[in-house]
Structures are given as structure tokens and as C-alpha cells.
Amino acid sequence: MTDASALPGQPRGVVGSGPATARAVNVLAPNPSAMTLDGTNTWILAEPDSDLAVVIDPGPLDEGHLRAVVDTAEKAGRRIALTLLTHGHADHAEGAGRFAELTGTRVRALDPALRLGDEGLAAGDVITTGGLELRVVPTPGHTSDSLSFHLPADRAVLTGDTILGRGTTMVAHPDGRLGDYLDSLRRLRSLTVDDGVHTVLPGHGPVLEDAQGAVEFYLAHRAHRLAQVETAVENGHRGAADVVAHVYADVDRSLWPAAELSVRAQLEYLGEHGLI
């Protein structure tokens, strides 16, 4: 068995529902898959002495899961006062409308199409609910509407799919762009260096105890993959599917469609920078 402390980001044990930090509780959605890992992490955030809570990413449209989120908050003596979305993929956002009905909350997101209520989310926004402070961090790249949320009191960041608790994420071309994604990773690295963030609360997979290590691993992985794609093209592998078969030969074929999206983003990036 591999020591978790030796893995990128120092993942914290088994993924499951329960407290992760002083202010964050996970409710794991029952939607495991190759793409969602153990399932979607739905986060309930609250100050320890507050009766108000914020939920990030209600998850799929699964009535049992949505009610479990409400029940978890209520058993802790809290009312859910606000719902936030990291991005619009169905495994994070599909249940938001029904969740809003169950809780009577607004839904705030970067994409206006996902909002319920007048307020959206934008870079630099500071959200305060029941004494809890969350800072909105734009992290496009996985998707154009991807956001992260900085939780200063716990020295943590909620990353949605920008950084996962295990493995790496895809750049969902054409909506996602590699240049944006690399900029977002650098932005998250600055949180670890300048703001003392040490914990990643991801959208899928285990909590990561070494946020800076996780970001550095992601940056190194992207640089390595980009070099592999560039070399593959130089060796005559032209189409995205051909590049995937060459570069991702050791990756489970069920992940190849996602890999192809990332490769398309990498080819676009290399072309824009005159490297192919």
C-alpha cells in the first residue's frame, strides 16, 4: 500500500461524508464513476457557532442525496441560507434547482443560466453568511465558468474540478482552454504562497493536506503532457484521437474521450504559441 503522505497533495484517507475542517462538512453523492471518482463532494460550510450554512455544489439531481444534504445541516442545528456553484457540469449543478426548492435558497454562479436569483458571482466577490467568509477565485480552464472558493479561516480552498483529490482533471475543450487553466493553477499557487492556504477541498476525491504540493504536481503534469503532445505531433501523429492513442496508451480507455478533449486544448495551445 502506498503511503498517502507520499502522494501528490497528501490525500487524506478514504473519501466519505463527514467533517473535513472546522467549517466544512462533506456529503458524498452516490454517483461514482471513472469521471467522478468516488462521487461528487457536496460541501456544507458554516462558522462553528452559526445557525446558517452555505452549500457548494448540490450535485446531481438525486432526491436522496439532496435531502441528505439538508438533513446533515439540520442535524447540526443549521439552516441552509445560500447555494453556490463551482461550475455548470451536471454532476455538480444538475440538482441545484431542486435543492433551491427544498431549501428556499438563491443559487449563485458565474454563468447567468445557472443562477436562481439576481446575484451572480465574480472575481473578488466576498461572500459573508452567518459570519462565514468566502472569497471568489476565478479558475477557468476546466470550463470557462469554473470558480474556486477561498475559505481563509480554515486556510482552505474549494476547487471544484480544477484540482481533484486524486489523479488529474481534463480541460473540457472547446469551452475549457489550456492557457486559462495554467493561469488558474498559478493563481491557486499564489494562494498557497501568499495567503497560507494548505488544504484543498476538491469536487471529487479525498481532501488534500498539501495544497502547494498538489498545485505544483498539476503544473508539472501539464507541462509533461504538453511536451508529450508536441513530440507526438513532431513524429507525425496529427489528429487528436491519434495523439491520444499514442500519449495516453497507458491510461484506461474509458478515459480516452476526456483525454481527447484535453489533447484538443493542448493542440490549440501549441498552435497559438507557434509550437506546432
Side-chain angles (χ1 to χ4, degrees):
M1 180 178 292
T2 302
D3 181 1
S5 66
L7 296 173
Q10 296 181 17
R12 184 193 297 173
V14 177
V15 182
S17 298
T21 68
R23 292 164 180 80
V25 174
N26 183 30
V27 182
L28 182 63
N31 62 334
S33 72
M35 293 297 295
T36 61
L37 305 181
D38 309 86
T40 300
N41 295 329
T42 294
W43 293 103
I44 303 174
L45 307 178
E47 282 296 309
D49 59 353
S50 176
D51 62 355
L52 297 179
V54 175
V55 165
I56 295 181
D57 290 351
L61 184 54
D62 181 294
E63 189 75 9
H65 172 65
L66 300 177
R67 291 189 179 275
V69 176
V70 176
D71 290 346
T72 300
E74 290 182 345
K75 287 176 181 176
R78 296 190 171 107
R79 175 177 65 84
I80 297 168
L82 179 64
T83 301
L84 306 174
L85 298 178
T86 61
H87 65 297
H89 280 168
D91 55 313
H92 295 258
E94 185 186 33
R98 175 57 179 152
F99 191 70
E101 293 176 356
L102 291 173
T103 59
T105 61
R106 295 166 295 145
V107 177
R108 296 180 63 180
L110 179 62
D111 185 349
L114 300 171
R115 301 171 190 168
L116 291 174
D118 295 331
E119 288 187 280
L121 293 170
D125 282 354
V126 177
I127 298 162
T128 54
T129 302
L132 181 81
E133 179 184 302
L134 285 170
R135 300 173 184 173
V136 178
V137 182
T139 49
H142 170 66
T143 61
S144 62
D145 69 329
S146 288
L147 298 172
S148 295
F149 297 95
H150 178 200
L151 179 57
D154 283 349
R155 296 173 65 191
V157 62
L158 296 102
T159 54
D161 283 355
T162 298
I163 292 180
L164 304 179
R166 185 170 65 250
T168 57
T169 196
M170 69 171 179
V171 178
H173 184 271
D175 180 51
R177 294 174 58 85
L178 180 59
D180 291 342
Y181 186 64
L182 295 174
D183 288 343
S184 293
L185 291 176
R186 297 182 189 109
R187 193 170 295 119
L188 290 173
R189 181 171 57 186
S190 74
L191 286 182
T192 71
V193 174
D194 300 330
D195 296 278
V197 166
H198 62 66
T199 302
V200 173
L201 304 176
H204 304 280
V207 172
L208 299 177
E209 303 282 9
D210 177 15
Q212 185 171 351
V215 176
E216 295 292 355
F217 169 75
Y218 266 63
L219 284 166
H221 171 78
R222 279 293 158 210
H224 178 63
R225 283 296 193 210
L226 197 60
Q228 286 181 308
V229 170
E230 184 177 4
T231 299
V233 172
E234 290 173 351
N235 290 335
H237 301 278
R238 297 297 178 184
D242 187 24
V243 171
V244 168
H246 178 73
V247 173
Y248 291 80
D250 60 342
V251 174
D252 189 321
R253 282 178 174 262
S254 68
L255 297 175
W256 280 18
E260 184 170 334
L261 295 181
S262 287
V263 165
R264 290 183 184 279
Q266 291 170 64
L267 292 172
E268 179 181 71
Y269 179 89
L270 290 169
E272 289 172 349
H273 289 77
L275 298 173
I276 58 172

